[in-house]
Amino acid sequence: MNQQDHAVRLARRIRDEKQRLLATLDDPRRTQELVLADVLTRNGDTAFGAEHGLSAVAGVDDYRRAVPIRTHEALMPWIERSIAGERRVLTADQPVAYFSSSGTTGREKFIPVTPTYLRTTFLAFYYAGFAGVLDRHPELIGAEEKVLNLWQDPTTRISQTFGGQPHIGLSQLDYRTYGEPLATGPGTGGGWTEVLDSYPDGGPWERAYLRLRLAVERDVRWIIAVNPAIVAALPYQLAQWWPRMVAELHAGTLGGRPYGEPNPARALELRQVAERHGTLRPVDLWPNLRVILSWNTALASLYLPPLREAFGADTIVLSPPIASCEGPVAIPLRADPASGPLFLPGCFYEFVPADRDIEPDCDTLLADELEEGRDYHIVLTHVGGLYRCATLDIVRVVGFAGRTPAVAYAGRGTISSGSGERLREPDLIRALGAALAEVGLEIRNATARRTGSSPARYEVALAPVATPPSDVVAALAEALERRLAEQSPGYRRARASGGLGAVRLTVTHPDAFLVEWERRVRAGERPPRVKDRVFQPDPNVWDRITTNAPTIVGSQR
């Protein structure tokens, strides 16, 4: 298949899956009932189905009574049986791989991936996820040489389960293996992957360099990052690597080996730009860049906007499909680049208000029962073998598409508490965003922790775009204290009772979080896995980020 035929067929498949989703939006209840019925029909005759009486389930209420809500960890006994080779444990067809993720708890996940799940759910979701790009820039679909894919790398070394099946991240899935050549990730053809295959010994840090070195000579118009930390790291990497890139460009080498023809004219042009600005920015390399595909809500909403100058004023950040490794959630389709309607044809969704704990028998809401402006935990069921699985992510309903809620990712479902405050990740993000806007400060990243000192308090470490004067930092600490009390009733009560002291603000070096990101990638973690942490669980990471950083305490009232 030549590139033009590939582009035409890919665009058609994207439109088809988008239309399939749009056709469901006016009747979410009926669509969801059909999805649940299909799951039960396909997988009723399994070990899990027998244990829970799925063959006798007649509808949503029966299903709720038959199956308790569980996390992935609680489903692991069945998943481990499947990994060990037992057939028909969770699904009628045997998993061909298991998706991995470090997860909210930091423990590896093993999400079953079956052929039926890939065909009916995952790939439909995958194709529909490019609808926003197709609508805005149809010329980029199939234009492999114009796409810099920093997320997907199916040729990297993969792990295995104890049963020998692939244990991979979503970014490592090679769709060609499952008969889906159209789904080969944009920017993984056109010579990109073939060249990187000849450098098998390079770790994630070196592979990232090689990919950018290749991109220096291309007219990149679309960057796929998905993980916003990858977007934030790109200007930082270019600041380190531009002298090496320019030297290799001049010599006609890649990673020290001969590659292509020497390009001294381009090398001289880039050196002059770098000397003028002190670095090379993405906009200097790719002035025609138009789209970055990256999650752009939650914490990323605070640090991506200041990067606009580095990437170009005409570049828009579009959200990729909203999902977790457990399954699809929503597809941004229309004007809002950060939210989209639930992917009704893919999963059966239930929701728990985010201010409540998820319990095995807690009441749930269905898609057509959600309210705009509210946050919810996600509980999903799909044909791949997850039944009422709590993903531990939170979404916020920002509107409706037809009668279907349009949602945006709001943060992890992590709750921090010790004095009854029950501070949620989305509350902290919104409070910090409001406080930053109030004092006019821009940041590169932030994280927080609860300290056990007397009195206990929250510490927030943030990396500013530029180091602010002390009076601005003091004003920010005061504003953050007020905004936390507004966002979180529990925090407000704990402060009033004396159970919590005032928030403490630590201003780090502007590059502190990027240096930590680099440390982890150099140590062997693939960039898609190195994610932001709103609540930082690792005291060693905290110490590295905040070393020699000044602190300011908020209001003592």
Side-chain angles (χ1 to χ4, degrees), residues 164-399:
Q165 304 94 342
H167 186 217
I168 56 178
L170 275 70
S171 59
Q172 294 177 285
L173 186 64
D174 188 345
Y175 302 99
R176 294 168 296 184
T177 304
Y178 307 105
E180 283 283 341
L182 273 183
T184 302
T188 59
W192 295 95
T193 301
E194 292 83 353
V195 172
L196 291 176
D197 281 348
S198 63
Y199 293 79
D201 298 329
W205 185 253
E206 180 65 9
R207 286 179 73 85
Y209 165 78
L210 295 172
R211 196 177 293 273
L212 291 181
R213 162 64 183 90
L214 288 172
V216 166
E217 295 185 270
R218 303 200 182 198
D219 179 22
V220 172
R221 302 189 180 200
W222 176 13
I223 292 176
I224 299 176
V226 181
N227 179 354
I230 295 175
V231 181
L234 185 52
Y236 172 78
Q237 291 171 298
L238 290 176
Q240 293 190 52
W241 288 338
W242 77 259
R244 179 184 176 190
M245 287 179 174
V246 168
E248 290 215 287
L249 190 59
H250 187 277
T253 59
L254 175 68
R257 303 181 195 173
Y259 173 77
E261 297 294 328
N263 195 341
R266 175 69 166 159
L268 177 61
E269 173 195 353
L270 294 180
R271 181 175 295 279
Q272 290 173 339
V273 172
E275 290 173 348
R276 186 162 60 249
H277 293 295
T279 187
L280 278 179
R281 304 166 301 172
V283 69
D284 299 323
L285 294 174
W286 310 300
N288 295 318
L289 180 64
R290 292 296 177 266
V291 177
I292 298 173
L293 202 66
S294 170
W295 292 318
N296 52 13
T297 60
L299 186 59
S301 68
L302 306 186
Y303 68 72
L304 286 182
L307 291 169
R308 190 175 185 85
E309 182 179 354
F311 285 90
D314 294 330
T315 301
I316 185 172
V317 180
L318 297 179
S319 175
I322 301 166
S324 65
C325 66
E326 287 90 350
V329 177
I331 296 282
L333 289 179
R334 295 179 177 169
D336 185 351
S339 67
L342 295 169
F343 188 64
L344 298 175
C347 298
F348 173 70
Y349 298 105
E350 299 172 77
F351 300 88
V352 177
D355 56 0
R356 300 179 189 172
D357 291 333
I358 299 178
E359 302 290 349
D361 60 350
C362 68
D363 293 335
T364 60
L365 300 169
L366 300 182
D368 59 332
E369 297 173 322
L370 304 189
E371 298 177 27
E372 186 170 352
R374 296 285 303 277
D375 291 348
Y376 298 93
H377 299 285
I378 308 165
V379 178
L380 58 78
T381 296
H382 62 60
V383 74
L386 296 189
Y387 303 89
R388 305 198 79 198
C389 181
T391 68
L392 304 182
D393 286 333
I394 292 176
V395 294
R396 186 173 185 84
V397 178
V398 299

Side-chain angles (χ1 to χ4, degrees), residues 477-499:
E478 294 275 353
L480 180 56
E481 180 66 35
R482 282 188 282 102
R483 298 296 187 171
L484 281 169
E486 292 172 3
Q487 289 289 331
S488 172
Y491 183 88
R492 184 169 62 249
R493 288 191 295 268
R495 285 287 286 123
S497 69

